[in-house]
Amino acid sequence: MKKYSLEISEDEAIILFEFFARFADTNRLNFKHPSEYITIQQLAAKVEKTTSAMFKEDYKEILSKAQKRISNGFEGNLSNDNAQVGWIHKIISDYFWPEFIDINGMIFIKSEYSKVAKIPTDPIEAECFINHLHILDLFTHSADLPDDPFWDTEHPDFKDAWNVGKHISEMWKEKLERDFPMDNFRIYLAKSDNPIVRFHKVRKNHINWFDKESNSNQSENEKNKIIIIE
């Protein structure tokens, strides 16, 4: 079997490392920066110069044999034939219509609870700490700014994230009512930062999250950026 060598620059190696490391973490093959697209294109151009197999009449057979040799001994399962489908499924099951768990009377999003080693002792603080979601973190976007306030609230991506947050809030409301019909919940959607949606259970003798003194002192302008769903 022929062997080929490809030379890449230090910059290209760094870009490729970041690209494939992100793929390993998210199972999503997508470009987040023009440098990634350019590097992949340059790599593809170098590969094309190494072999003429793709121009042969029996290319499909050549490709099939190459695939079998490369995958020989692989016993794992591909997470999904379509990475985007797998990502969409994860987004829906983890965030849009999540599985909730009851831990000593506290209600948590299961996928988020598993990420936290230690939770606050106050139940409302604990629920708001764990059950919060930064909407823009779910997607590739261009709404970030290099300096404070760090988010361009007029950018179409930010506006889309805000609308997504509204839908997630309503879906959480429906799911919580269905799963815990005897309990009442408050869901908050905040626009002052990367749009954040969070919830907690309403309890007697406990001050609701946004009614706490630290939050009630916020300016009226800030308060107008909070949607409360009960």
Side-chain angles (χ1 to χ4, degrees):
M1 183 186 301
K2 293 182 179 179
K3 295 183 179 294
Y4 303 98
S5 297
L6 297 175
E7 290 188 0
I8 61 175
S9 68
E10 175 74 6
D11 286 345
E12 289 173 330
I14 293 170
I15 297 301
L16 289 173
F17 172 81
E18 174 63 22
F19 179 76
F20 290 118
R22 189 171 67 250
F23 170 62
D25 290 339
T26 66
N27 199 31
R28 295 179 60 197
L29 277 174
N30 66 310
F31 298 116
K32 289 194 68 174
H33 193 275
S35 62
E36 295 177 344
Y37 173 77
I38 294 170
T39 299
I40 293 295
Q41 288 291 86
Q42 291 174 340
L43 184 62
K46 292 175 182 179
V47 171
E48 288 178 4
K49 293 179 181 179
T50 62
T51 178
S52 59
M54 64 282 294
F55 301 113
K56 295 182 178 180
E57 293 183 357
D58 59 343
Y59 171 66
K60 289 186 177 180
E61 182 179 351
I62 294 173
L63 173 62
S64 176
K65 290 180 178 180
Q67 290 172 332
K68 289 179 181 178
R69 286 192 294 269
I70 293 295
S71 60
N72 182 40
F74 176 73
E75 297 180 352
N77 294 315
L78 295 178
S79 58
N80 200 300
D81 290 337
N82 187 328
Q84 286 291 83
V85 172
W87 171 75
I88 291 171
H89 176 266
K90 179 174 176 60
I91 289 292
I92 292 174
S93 60
D94 284 357
Y95 304 120
F96 283 78
W97 196 254
E99 180 180 353
F100 299 117
I101 56 175
D102 186 332
I103 305 294
N104 299 323
M106 294 180 286
I107 309 303
F108 300 113
I109 297 172
K110 184 177 181 179
S111 61
E112 296 303 294
Y113 179 79
S114 62
K115 301 175 184 177
V116 179
K118 185 178 181 180
I119 65 172
T121 55
D122 179 81
I124 289 182
E125 182 182 352
E127 288 172 341
C128 285
F129 173 65
I130 293 177
N131 301 323
H132 81 277
L133 179 63
H134 295 253
I135 306 300
L136 281 171
D137 290 353
L138 301 178
F139 312 101
T140 300
H141 64 86
S142 301
D144 48 343
L145 297 172
D147 301 304
D148 193 20
F150 301 113
W151 306 104
D152 180 1
T153 58
E154 296 302 316
H155 193 283
D157 290 351
F158 189 96
K159 293 180 179 180
D160 286 341
W162 175 246
N163 288 326
V164 168
K166 291 179 181 179
H167 289 298
I168 290 178
S169 300
E170 293 293 340
M171 294 177 78
W172 284 8
K173 178 178 183 292
E174 293 296 324
K175 185 70 158 54
L176 287 165
E177 288 179 348
R178 192 190 74 169
D179 291 359
F180 308 98
M182 303 304 293
D183 295 318
N184 295 318
F185 295 87
R186 262 194 170 195
I187 302 170
Y188 306 84
L189 177 61
K191 194 177 185 179
S192 57
D193 195 349
N194 177 340
I196 302 172
V197 58
R198 54 164 51 86
F199 78 83
H200 69 78
K201 184 164 69 173
V202 176
R203 296 173 171 85
K204 292 182 179 180
N205 303 320
H206 283 77
I207 301 174
N208 291 325
W209 176 75
F210 197 64
D211 296 335
K212 289 181 179 290
E213 183 178 352
S214 59
N215 291 318
S216 61
N217 289 334
Q218 295 186 41
S219 67
E220 288 301 317
N221 185 46
E222 286 294 303
K223 291 180 180 180
N224 289 336
K225 294 180 180 179
I226 302 287
I227 293 178
I228 301 175
I229 301 173
E230 296 182 287

